[in-house]
Amino acid sequence: MEKVTNSDLKSSVNGGVVDVYGEDSATIEHNITPWSLSVSSGYSLLRDPRYNKGLAFTEKERDTHYLRGLLPPVVLDQKLQEKRLMNNIRQYQFPLQKYMALTELQERNERLFYKLLIDNVEELLPIVYTPTVGEACQKFGSIFRRPQGLFISLKDKGKILDVLKNWPERNIQVIVVTDGERILGLGDLGCQGMGIPVGKLALYSALGGVRPSACLPVTIDVGTNNEKLLNDEFYIGLRQKRATGQEYSELLHEFISAVKQNYGENVLIQFEDFANHNAFELLAKYRDSHLVFNDDIQGTASVVLAGLVSAQKLTNSPLAEHTFLFLGAGEAGTGIAELIALYISKQMNASVEESRKKIWLVDSKGLIVNSRKDSLQDFKKPWAHEHEPVKDLLGAIKAINPTVLIGSAGIGRAFTKEVIEAMSSTNERPLIMALSNPTTQSECTAEEAYTWSKGHAIFASGSPFDPVEYEGNVFVSTQANNAYIFPGLGLGLVISGAIRVHDDMLLAAAEALAGQVSKENYDKGMIYPSFSSIRKISAHIAANVATKAYELGLAGRLPRPKDIVKCAESSMYSPTYRLYR
């Protein structure tokens, strides 16, 4: 394997790790050249989202680049542009309108889009990603304007490498790919699932500082089993039932192999919103030979573990003393459970098998117990413990007496008043995590959790909720959002030149996130830090992940930086406008 030195990072001014266009190898005082295949100027410059600055072009730039007359005479700086756009966005009544306005901005002025997102992350994150992106995917065929990312379908079998070469960027560092079969809690949306990779990669750049030009969204279209879409005249994907079995496996294998051939061993492939059976199989098949990561399994697990680790300060008891009960035994549920077991095993110097005994799962048929083992899918079998059959969640709570209740089944309002009261009756501070999204699929709301527990619950959710006032106290619930983890994890893999994702890296990311929770956060009942400092959080996560990559011998970028946090911070992409020569 070829070793890459730190001098290759070239992250002095605007970051993003690899400076293909020479934009950042100079100081901030130096001007840069806005070029693509040729130097952009005039009308083409205003249509190039990477270099377009709209009304922020200076008088000199307007003369130099033949923009005189193509713009109104006023010159606005980026800060004023940002203020105007936020005022406009806030005028829209519906979240989907805001989503479409932001998408149009991203297609028109890339730097202003990311500046807006970074500076207003808490307000815009629910628009750019969950829950609004779910509605955008449902209506993707109707709101589709111009392609973002690569659409690879069964029609491209045998020539996927050629399709990848059609993408204009050659230096790709992160790919997010979906087949659209399990989009959030909304099911099979087929080709319209492209909104997910696009949204995820926007967060990789805004929150994790990975350069936008190094990100590639991909949708693998193998058909859809959604009859409504198949009969929709505006559907943009293949009008056929989903391919399965060998045909599906061969297409995915060709894609994975073509990515490695075209972009090298260090490109991160993030699997997103695949159905359970394919998600587990793909991760198991490629994790030892490729740099792959499943956010639904591993990212969710890491962010939930971080919340549990930080909550130890509120419960005053280590995780090893807790009993965990999950509603949901799919990708998210089993992935979280496995990482918790790994963490406890290291905490107690015990085996993972022994640690699993503290963790119970409920699926659609009830509590997972030994008597059901022969009929269970393989990924559920490690969680089958010795116990009498229990048919429902409330019965399981009464039988197991858990201290932590985690929902990941996508069943809206499954945490009923009786469920929350049962948790509160045996725990002074019950820890309740309603992780399913979008909001309609959440197991309970923040208001329900705090009210039904009489203000005793420690609560986090997958979807955002407003602060809740109960008996004179204001409770601020935090969102157990994967966006806390995956951008920093990705940056850490990139700056270290990692060749594999190891479970210890997920533990390192979780510990870094938990370490960023402040006393002020705890005082409000929060178990995650404020999203307003997400770039700082991502830098610390990246540093922890990179450090673990070096310790495990999985880092390809040598020598190891002396100060990895500083390296992560300096490697981050900045969307501030640059002056053009």
Side-chain angles (χ1 to χ4, degrees):
M1 182 178 65
E2 182 183 354
K3 303 297 182 185
V4 184
T5 65
N6 283 335
S7 61
D8 293 315
L9 290 177
K10 295 183 181 178
S11 57
S12 56
V13 178
N14 271 14
V17 181
V18 178
D19 181 21
V20 181
Y21 297 97
E23 294 179 21
D24 305 332
S25 54
T27 64
I28 194 70
E29 290 80 17
H30 286 80
N31 297 341
I32 62 171
T33 301
W35 65 280
S36 48
L37 296 176
S38 60
V39 177
S40 296
S41 63
Y43 199 73
S44 65
L45 180 55
L46 297 178
R47 294 296 181 271
D48 187 337
R50 179 181 296 167
Y51 296 111
N52 177 33
K53 299 194 290 187
L55 295 175
F57 283 106
T58 66
E59 297 287 354
K60 182 179 179 182
E61 287 171 332
R62 295 180 189 209
D63 287 332
T64 304
H65 293 283
Y66 307 101
L67 298 173
R68 187 68 65 184
L70 299 181
L71 291 167
V74 71
V75 176
L76 300 181
D77 62 23
Q78 193 175 25
K79 187 175 181 179
L80 199 56
Q81 285 182 310
E82 185 180 351
K83 180 180 179 181
R84 184 187 65 176
L85 276 165
M86 285 306 299
N87 285 340
N88 291 342
I89 288 170
R90 287 166 181 150
Q91 299 303 313
Y92 291 115
Q93 183 179 358
F94 300 108
L96 187 61
Q97 293 174 316
K98 297 180 181 182
Y99 175 91
M100 294 174 66
L102 287 168
T103 299
E104 191 275 333
L105 175 62
Q106 186 180 16
E107 294 170 349
R108 174 170 52 86
N109 186 331
E110 184 178 274
R111 285 184 180 269
L112 187 54
F113 167 79
Y114 285 110
K115 190 76 167 65
L116 210 69
L117 185 51
I118 291 169
D119 291 346
N120 303 275
V121 63
E122 291 180 294
E123 181 177 351
L124 296 181
L125 185 63
I127 305 300
V128 173
Y129 204 61
T130 57
T132 308
V133 72
E135 183 184 1
C137 287
Q138 288 177 308
K139 300 175 180 177
F140 202 81
S142 299
I143 65 175
F144 180 81
R145 295 181 181 180
R146 56 185 293 185
Q148 291 177 294
L150 277 179
F151 294 85
I152 297 173
S153 75
L154 289 168
K155 293 180 179 180
D156 303 312
K157 189 175 181 181
K159 49 189 177 183
I160 292 180
L161 181 60
D162 294 331
V163 174
L164 290 177
K165 290 179 178 179
N166 288 341
W167 188 249
E169 301 295 339
R170 293 291 173 260
N171 186 56
I172 299 300
Q173 294 169 333
V174 182
I175 292 173
V176 177
V177 58
T178 186
D179 70 352
E181 188 169 4
R182 192 199 62 84
I183 298 298
L184 303 175
L186 303 172
D188 186 351
L189 297 184
C191 192
Q192 297 189 170
M194 177 58 97
I196 298 296
V198 170
K200 284 276 183 180
L201 286 168
L203 300 185
Y204 264 109
S205 296
L207 312 186
V210 178
R211 182 181 291 280
S213 61
C215 297
L216 174 58
V218 177
T219 289
I220 305 286
D221 187 357
V222 296
T224 179
N225 294 333
N226 187 325
E227 290 293 339
K228 184 178 179 180
L229 290 179
L230 290 173
N231 296 320
D232 183 354
E233 63 177 325
F234 298 121
Y235 180 55
I236 61 174
L238 292 178
R239 294 179 184 275
Q240 66 173 64
K241 294 290 186 179
R242 280 190 170 272
T244 58
Q246 185 176 350
E247 185 179 17
Y248 179 89
S249 298
E250 288 177 354
L251 188 73
L252 267 293
H253 184 71
E254 183 185 348
F255 168 71
I256 299 290
S257 302
V259 165
K260 194 170 185 177
Q261 182 179 346
N262 200 46
Y263 301 120
E265 189 172 28
N266 297 106
V267 62
L268 172 64
I269 302 174
Q270 177 175 314
F271 298 120
E272 193 67 32
D273 286 351
F274 284 75
N276 285 348
H277 56 287
N278 289 326
F280 285 106
E281 287 177 12
L282 287 169
L283 188 60
K285 183 175 181 180
Y286 293 108
R287 67 182 303 171
D288 294 329
S289 58
H290 293 71
L291 186 65
V292 297
F293 168 69
N294 186 303
D295 190 45
D296 302 303
I297 299 173
Q298 297 166 293
T300 302
S302 188
V303 76
V304 172
L305 177 60
L308 296 173
V309 170
S310 73
Q312 292 176 122
K313 291 188 177 180
L314 296 177
T315 61
N316 296 314
S317 56
L319 288 193
E321 294 181 5
H322 285 274
T323 301
F324 304 84
L325 180 63
F326 284 77
L327 175 62
E331 290 176 59
T334 55
I336 298 164
E338 191 64 38
L339 200 64
I340 292 171
L342 179 61
Y343 181 86
I344 292 174
S345 72
K346 291 180 179 292
Q347 194 179 53
M348 299 300 293
N349 196 25
S351 68
V352 173
E353 290 73 22
E354 186 67 25
S355 300
R356 287 187 184 127
K357 294 178 181 178
K358 303 283 291 181
I359 304 169
W360 298 79
L361 278 67
V362 172
D363 64 6
S364 59
K365 294 181 175 61
L367 191 66
I368 295 179
V369 293
N370 272 336
S371 60
R372 294 178 51 196
K373 206 163 188 176
D374 290 343
S375 64
L376 292 173
Q377 295 166 282
D378 287 341
F379 62 85
K380 294 183 181 181
K381 289 181 179 179
W383 310 104
H385 306 317
E386 193 60 49
H387 197 280
E388 297 175 3
V390 180
K391 290 188 176 180
D392 58 25
L393 176 63
L394 185 58
I397 291 173
K398 293 177 179 178
I400 302 301
N401 290 321
T403 55
V404 180
L405 178 63
I406 299 174
S408 62
I411 303 173
R413 303 304 179 266
F415 292 174
T416 62
K417 185 180 183 197
E418 292 76 18
V419 164
I420 302 297
E421 287 178 342
M423 285 293 297
S424 304
S425 67
T426 55
N427 297 291
E428 184 180 345
R429 299 298 307 274
L431 181 47
I432 297 168
M433 305 184 83
L435 301 178
S436 297
N437 53 48
T439 310
T440 54
Q441 308 300 117
S442 184
E443 287 77 10
C444 68
T445 66
E447 183 176 11
E448 290 166 345
Y450 291 124
T451 302
W452 293 338
S453 69
K454 297 181 179 178
H456 294 296
I458 301 168
F459 179 75
S461 58
S463 294
F465 291 105
D466 293 330
V468 175
E469 185 174 348
Y470 179 79
E471 293 189 350
N473 295 314
V474 176
F475 297 92
V476 180
S477 69
T478 37
Q479 191 179 357
N481 196 319
N482 292 20
Y484 275 116
I485 289 289
F486 70 81
L489 174 71
L491 180 63
L493 296 171
V494 169
I495 65 174
S496 64
I499 57 171
R500 302 290 179 269
V501 177
H502 193 280
D503 283 342
D504 284 356
M505 297 177 184
L506 304 176
L507 295 179
E511 289 170 343
L513 176 56
Q516 294 298 306
V517 183
S518 67
K519 183 180 182 303
E520 182 184 357
N521 298 142
Y522 285 126
D523 290 342
K524 295 177 181 177
M526 300 165 63
I527 56 174
Y528 292 99
S530 169
F531 239 105
S532 59
S533 57
I534 186 61
R535 299 268 284 195
K536 175 192 170 189
I537 294 167
S538 292
H540 282 273
I541 291 173
N544 261 31
V545 169
T547 297
K548 188 59 65 174
Y550 284 108
E551 290 175 359
L552 294 169
L554 295 174
R557 188 163 275 129
L558 301 172
R560 173 176 170 169
K562 292 180 180 178
D563 187 334
I564 300 186
V565 174
K566 187 176 180 180
C567 174
E569 290 173 341
S570 65
S571 297
M572 284 181 156
Y573 164 80
S574 169
T576 304
Y577 286 150
R578 302 294 304 278
L579 290 174
Y580 299 154
R581 61 171 68 90

